Amino acid sequence: MTKPIVAQPYAYNTDVEQGKTYRWCACGRSATQPFCDDSHEGTGIEPVDYTATETTRVQFCGCKSTKNGAICDSSHNLL
């Protein structure tokens, strides 16, 4: 399995819509960060589905080191 690439060393502040599912890029290779564009193929890293429970702004992880699904947990502070 390939290691994820740091797409950016901080979170992506992103507006989401209640009930909509987003495919968060876990590999760091997507050109459409923070979302998956299938650039992970062959890496052994799969995107993570995130379904918004409300219409709001969330912080998707940019460093790809989060232990909180797709959401930033400040792991970038340890890079």
Side-chain angles (χ1 to χ4, degrees):
M1 182 166 134
T2 306
K3 287 187 172 191
I5 295 171
V6 175
Q8 70 179 22
Y10 47 89
Y12 289 93
N13 293 311
T14 307
D15 293 326
V16 295
E17 295 178 35
Q18 181 179 9
K20 186 173 178 182
T21 299
Y22 300 85
R23 289 177 63 215
W24 173 72
C25 169
C27 72
R29 291 164 174 77
S30 176
T32 59
Q33 292 292 332
F35 304 117
C36 178
D37 68 1
D38 293 324
S39 295
H40 64 274
E41 291 186 13
T43 66
I45 302 172
E46 295 295 320
V48 175
D49 286 342
Y50 172 84
T51 302
T53 57
E54 62 181 318
T55 298
T56 190
R57 179 169 286 187
V58 298
Q59 291 187 318
F60 286 108
C61 175
C63 74
K64 311 307 176 184
S65 297
T66 184
K67 305 293 187 266
N68 193 23
I71 303 302
C72 177
D73 66 0
S74 296
S75 291
H76 57 270
N77 291 325
L78 303 174
L79 297 177

